[in-house]
Tab-separated table of all heavy atoms in Angstrom:
chain	number	residue	atom	x	y	z
A	98	LYS	N	7.579	16.365	4.154
A	98	LYS	CA	7.461	16.428	2.694
A	98	LYS	C	8.679	15.785	2.035
A	98	LYS	O	8.547	14.950	1.137
A	98	LYS	CB	7.335	17.867	2.246
A	98	LYS	CG	7.157	18.013	0.718
A	98	LYS	CD	7.028	19.476	0.308
A	98	LYS	CE	5.761	20.093	0.812
A	98	LYS	NZ	5.550	21.456	0.243
A	99	ILE	N	9.860	16.117	2.531
A	99	ILE	CA	11.111	15.534	1.994
A	99	ILE	C	11.151	14.016	2.213
A	99	ILE	O	11.533	13.259	1.309
A	99	ILE	CB	12.337	16.213	2.620
A	99	ILE	CG1	12.433	17.656	2.143
A	99	ILE	CG2	13.611	15.442	2.282
A	99	ILE	CD1	13.512	18.469	2.838
A	100	LEU	N	10.714	13.577	3.384
A	100	LEU	CA	10.707	12.155	3.688
A	100	LEU	C	9.843	11.383	2.701
A	100	LEU	O	10.246	10.362	2.160
A	100	LEU	CB	10.198	11.910	5.119
A	100	LEU	CG	10.058	10.422	5.528
A	100	LEU	CD1	11.402	9.709	5.422
A	100	LEU	CD2	9.500	10.340	6.944
A	101	GLY	N	8.656	11.934	2.439
A	101	GLY	CA	7.761	11.267	1.479
A	101	GLY	C	8.369	11.173	0.074
A	101	GLY	O	8.302	10.152	-0.580
A	102	LEU	N	8.975	12.263	-0.359
A	102	LEU	CA	9.583	12.291	-1.678
A	102	LEU	C	10.788	11.346	-1.774
A	102	LEU	O	11.000	10.666	-2.783
A	102	LEU	CB	9.997	13.717	-2.059
A	102	LEU	CG	8.801	14.706	-2.228
A	102	LEU	CD1	9.338	16.123	-2.396
A	102	LEU	CD2	7.922	14.303	-3.396
A	103	GLU	N	11.576	11.295	-0.700
A	103	GLU	CA	12.738	10.423	-0.712
A	103	GLU	C	12.348	8.948	-0.682
A	103	GLU	O	13.089	8.103	-1.188
A	103	GLU	CB	13.634	10.747	0.496
A	103	GLU	CG	14.398	12.057	0.349
A	103	GLU	CD	15.348	12.309	1.508
A	103	GLU	OE1	15.184	11.652	2.549
A	103	GLU	OE2	16.234	13.169	1.366
A	104	LEU	N	11.198	8.644	-0.121
A	104	LEU	CA	10.725	7.258	-0.069
A	104	LEU	C	10.051	6.832	-1.381
A	104	LEU	O	9.671	5.678	-1.507
A	104	LEU	CB	9.751	7.060	1.101
A	104	LEU	CG	10.395	7.078	2.487
A	104	LEU	CD1	9.313	7.039	3.559
A	104	LEU	CD2	11.341	5.886	2.650
A	105	GLY	N	9.898	7.764	-2.315
A	105	GLY	CA	9.376	7.388	-3.623
A	105	GLY	C	8.111	8.064	-4.075
A	105	GLY	O	7.615	7.779	-5.168
A	106	ALA	N	7.552	8.978	-3.282
A	106	ALA	CA	6.388	9.688	-3.737
A	106	ALA	C	6.747	10.604	-4.902
A	106	ALA	O	7.843	11.124	-4.962
A	106	ALA	CB	5.778	10.526	-2.588
A	107	ASP	N	5.808	10.771	-5.829
A	107	ASP	CA	6.056	11.595	-6.991
A	107	ASP	C	5.581	13.027	-6.790
A	107	ASP	O	6.094	13.975	-7.415
A	107	ASP	CB	5.348	11.029	-8.227
A	107	ASP	CG	5.861	9.628	-8.555
A	107	ASP	OD1	6.950	9.551	-9.149
A	107	ASP	OD2	5.175	8.656	-8.222
A	108	ASP	N	4.613	13.241	-5.913
A	108	ASP	CA	4.068	14.563	-5.674
A	108	ASP	C	3.478	14.577	-4.254
A	108	ASP	O	3.322	13.523	-3.606
A	108	ASP	CB	2.976	14.891	-6.711
A	108	ASP	CG	2.793	16.411	-6.886
A	108	ASP	OD1	3.323	17.178	-6.056
A	108	ASP	OD2	2.100	16.799	-7.831
A	109	TYR	N	3.142	15.752	-3.794
A	109	TYR	CA	2.765	15.946	-2.398
A	109	TYR	C	1.767	17.086	-2.293
A	109	TYR	O	2.012	18.172	-2.828
A	109	TYR	CB	4.035	16.311	-1.617
A	109	TYR	CG	4.007	16.076	-0.142
A	109	TYR	CD1	4.677	14.990	0.409
A	109	TYR	CD2	3.354	16.941	0.723
A	109	TYR	CE1	4.682	14.776	1.771
A	109	TYR	CE2	3.338	16.737	2.087
A	109	TYR	CZ	4.001	15.649	2.601
A	109	TYR	OH	4.014	15.424	3.953
A	110	MET	N	0.637	16.848	-1.604
A	110	MET	CA	-0.342	17.910	-1.411
A	110	MET	C	-0.747	17.938	0.061
A	110	MET	O	-0.884	16.885	0.722
A	110	MET	CB	-1.588	17.673	-2.274
A	110	MET	CG	-1.346	17.857	-3.752
A	110	MET	SD	-2.852	17.882	-4.717
A	110	MET	CE	-3.555	19.454	-4.203
A	111	THR	N	-0.921	19.136	0.566
A	111	THR	CA	-1.281	19.336	1.951
A	111	THR	C	-2.783	19.630	2.077
A	111	THR	O	-3.332	20.399	1.307
A	111	THR	CB	-0.487	20.526	2.552
A	111	THR	OG1	0.914	20.261	2.403
A	111	THR	CG2	-0.810	20.706	4.017
A	112	LYS	N	-3.425	18.961	3.015
A	112	LYS	CA	-4.849	19.201	3.289
A	112	LYS	C	-4.991	20.533	4.013
A	112	LYS	O	-4.137	20.889	4.847
A	112	LYS	CB	-5.420	18.097	4.169
A	112	LYS	CG	-5.353	16.705	3.557
A	112	LYS	CD	-5.891	15.708	4.566
A	112	LYS	CE	-5.788	14.288	4.064
A	112	LYS	NZ	-6.226	13.311	5.074
A	113	PRO	N	-6.088	21.259	3.771
A	113	PRO	CA	-7.124	20.994	2.751
A	113	PRO	C	-6.607	21.344	1.361
A	113	PRO	O	-5.754	22.212	1.219
A	113	PRO	CB	-8.247	21.911	3.166
A	113	PRO	CG	-7.571	23.055	3.872
A	113	PRO	CD	-6.388	22.460	4.565
A	114	PHE	N	-7.109	20.644	0.355
A	114	PHE	CA	-6.661	20.841	-1.003
A	114	PHE	C	-7.839	21.077	-1.934
A	114	PHE	O	-8.979	20.730	-1.600
A	114	PHE	CB	-5.852	19.658	-1.495
A	114	PHE	CG	-6.605	18.345	-1.417
A	114	PHE	CD1	-7.423	17.942	-2.461
A	114	PHE	CD2	-6.496	17.548	-0.293
A	114	PHE	CE1	-8.133	16.752	-2.373
A	114	PHE	CE2	-7.215	16.338	-0.188
A	114	PHE	CZ	-8.005	15.965	-1.256
A	115	ASP	N	-7.574	21.652	-3.087
A	115	ASP	CA	-8.602	21.861	-4.086
A	115	ASP	C	-8.656	20.621	-4.977
A	115	ASP	O	-7.637	20.189	-5.495
A	115	ASP	CB	-8.254	23.100	-4.914
A	115	ASP	CG	-9.378	23.471	-5.881
A	115	ASP	OD1	-9.580	22.716	-6.867
A	115	ASP	OD2	-10.039	24.496	-5.680
A	116	MET	N	-9.849	20.051	-5.130
A	116	MET	CA	-9.992	18.828	-5.922
A	116	MET	C	-9.513	19.035	-7.362
A	116	MET	O	-8.931	18.123	-7.965
A	116	MET	CB	-11.440	18.385	-5.913
A	116	MET	CG	-11.668	17.002	-6.500
A	116	MET	SD	-10.931	15.705	-5.479
A	116	MET	CE	-12.077	15.732	-4.072
A	117	ARG	N	-9.717	20.215	-7.920
A	117	ARG	CA	-9.308	20.479	-9.300
A	117	ARG	C	-7.788	20.433	-9.408
A	117	ARG	O	-7.243	19.932	-10.401
A	117	ARG	CB	-9.831	21.824	-9.754
A	117	ARG	CG	-11.336	21.905	-9.912
A	117	ARG	CD	-11.803	23.319	-10.108
A	117	ARG	NE	-11.492	24.146	-8.941
A	117	ARG	CZ	-11.771	25.451	-8.862
A	117	ARG	NH1	-12.355	26.073	-9.872
A	117	ARG	NH2	-11.455	26.112	-7.784
A	118	GLU	N	-7.104	20.905	-8.368
A	118	GLU	CA	-5.641	20.865	-8.404
A	118	GLU	C	-5.148	19.424	-8.270
A	118	GLU	O	-4.214	19.028	-8.950
A	118	GLU	CB	-5.056	21.715	-7.287
A	118	GLU	CG	-3.518	21.706	-7.298
A	118	GLU	CD	-2.903	22.499	-6.182
A	118	GLU	OE1	-3.653	23.134	-5.382
A	118	GLU	OE2	-1.655	22.537	-6.075
A	119	LEU	N	-5.796	18.646	-7.414
A	119	LEU	CA	-5.408	17.225	-7.268
A	119	LEU	C	-5.565	16.490	-8.612
A	119	LEU	O	-4.662	15.742	-9.021
A	119	LEU	CB	-6.266	16.552	-6.224
A	119	LEU	CG	-6.057	15.045	-6.035
A	119	LEU	CD1	-4.626	14.741	-5.626
A	119	LEU	CD2	-7.041	14.470	-5.012
A	120	LEU	N	-6.691	16.724	-9.285
A	120	LEU	CA	-6.902	16.065	-10.594
A	120	LEU	C	-5.875	16.515	-11.613
A	120	LEU	O	-5.390	15.724	-12.407
A	120	LEU	CB	-8.315	16.348	-11.076
A	120	LEU	CG	-9.460	15.716	-10.276
A	120	LEU	CD1	-10.798	16.228	-10.746
A	120	LEU	CD2	-9.403	14.188	-10.341
A	121	ALA	N	-5.532	17.795	-11.607
A	121	ALA	CA	-4.544	18.328	-12.538
A	121	ALA	C	-3.180	17.710	-12.291
A	121	ALA	O	-2.468	17.337	-13.217
A	121	ALA	CB	-4.465	19.842	-12.434
A	122	ARG	N	-2.809	17.578	-11.027
A	122	ARG	CA	-1.524	16.961	-10.680
A	122	ARG	C	-1.495	15.496	-11.051
A	122	ARG	O	-0.466	14.988	-11.512
A	122	ARG	CB	-1.232	17.158	-9.202
A	122	ARG	CG	-0.967	18.602	-8.795
A	122	ARG	CD	-0.351	18.666	-7.409
A	122	ARG	NE	-0.148	20.046	-6.986
A	122	ARG	CZ	0.755	20.385	-6.078
A	122	ARG	NH1	1.526	19.450	-5.498
A	122	ARG	NH2	0.906	21.629	-5.712
A	123	LEU	N	-2.599	14.815	-10.869
A	123	LEU	CA	-2.678	13.399	-11.230
A	123	LEU	C	-2.516	13.231	-12.753
A	123	LEU	O	-1.750	12.367	-13.209
A	123	LEU	CB	-4.023	12.823	-10.781
A	123	LEU	CG	-4.264	11.367	-11.193
A	123	LEU	CD1	-3.246	10.416	-10.578
A	123	LEU	CD2	-5.691	10.961	-10.820
A	124	LYS	N	-3.211	14.033	-13.513
A	124	LYS	CA	-3.078	13.960	-14.981
A	124	LYS	C	-1.647	14.226	-15.397
A	124	LYS	O	-1.101	13.559	-16.299
A	124	LYS	CB	-4.034	14.966	-15.657
A	124	LYS	CG	-5.496	14.609	-15.538
A	124	LYS	CD	-6.373	15.679	-16.157
A	124	LYS	CE	-7.858	15.361	-15.989
A	124	LYS	NZ	-8.741	16.405	-16.540
A	125	SER	N	-1.009	15.200	-14.797
A	125	SER	CA	0.395	15.528	-15.130
A	125	SER	C	1.300	14.358	-14.787
A	125	SER	O	2.198	14.000	-15.573
A	125	SER	CB	0.831	16.765	-14.367
A	125	SER	OG	2.164	17.081	-14.624
A	126	LEU	N	1.091	13.728	-13.644
A	126	LEU	CA	1.890	12.586	-13.244
A	126	LEU	C	1.745	11.405	-14.193
A	126	LEU	O	2.727	10.806	-14.624
A	126	LEU	CB	1.483	12.148	-11.816
A	126	LEU	CG	2.068	10.822	-11.299
A	126	LEU	CD1	3.598	10.866	-11.307
A	126	LEU	CD2	1.529	10.512	-9.921
A	127	LEU	N	0.498	11.127	-14.586
A	127	LEU	CA	0.243	10.012	-15.493
A	127	LEU	C	0.885	10.287	-16.882
A	127	LEU	O	1.388	9.353	-17.503
A	127	LEU	CB	-1.252	9.770	-15.651
A	127	LEU	CG	-1.927	9.216	-14.372
A	127	LEU	CD1	-3.440	9.230	-14.547
A	127	LEU	CD2	-1.453	7.790	-14.089
A	128	ARG	N	0.863	11.540	-17.323
A	128	ARG	CA	1.499	11.867	-18.610
A	128	ARG	C	3.007	11.635	-18.533
A	128	ARG	O	3.599	11.090	-19.455
A	128	ARG	CB	1.209	13.318	-18.978
A	128	ARG	CG	-0.176	13.568	-19.553
A	128	ARG	CD	-0.249	14.910	-20.275
A	128	ARG	NE	0.068	16.030	-19.368
A	128	ARG	CZ	-0.851	16.686	-18.672
A	128	ARG	NH1	-2.133	16.368	-18.777
A	128	ARG	NH2	-0.502	17.700	-17.889
A	129	ARG	N	3.608	12.018	-17.437
A	129	ARG	CA	5.056	11.828	-17.258
A	129	ARG	C	5.382	10.348	-17.247
A	129	ARG	O	6.386	9.918	-17.858
A	129	ARG	CB	5.539	12.468	-15.957
A	129	ARG	CG	5.461	13.975	-15.942
A	129	ARG	CD	6.334	14.573	-14.849
A	129	ARG	NE	6.018	14.061	-13.524
A	129	ARG	CZ	5.146	14.589	-12.691
A	129	ARG	NH1	4.428	15.643	-13.082
A	129	ARG	NH2	4.954	14.072	-11.497
């Protein structure tokens, strides 16, 4: 997780994930 963030990822989700949470995180990222 730290490696991905240090390389430039803005957020991180572990499978399996809830599609609603993924969409919510994407909307939040785009707003930022």
Side-chain angles (χ1 to χ4, degrees):
K98 183 180 292 188
I99 292 173
L100 177 59
L102 295 173
E103 287 183 344
L104 288 173
D107 299 282
D108 203 349
Y109 201 104
M110 291 191 70
T111 302
K112 300 176 183 177
F114 56 87
D115 186 290
M116 191 67 72
R117 293 169 297 179
E118 182 181 358
L119 175 61
L120 293 172
R122 291 194 182 203
L123 176 62
K124 289 177 183 178
S125 178
L126 171 59
L127 292 170
R128 282 197 300 268
R129 294 198 304 270

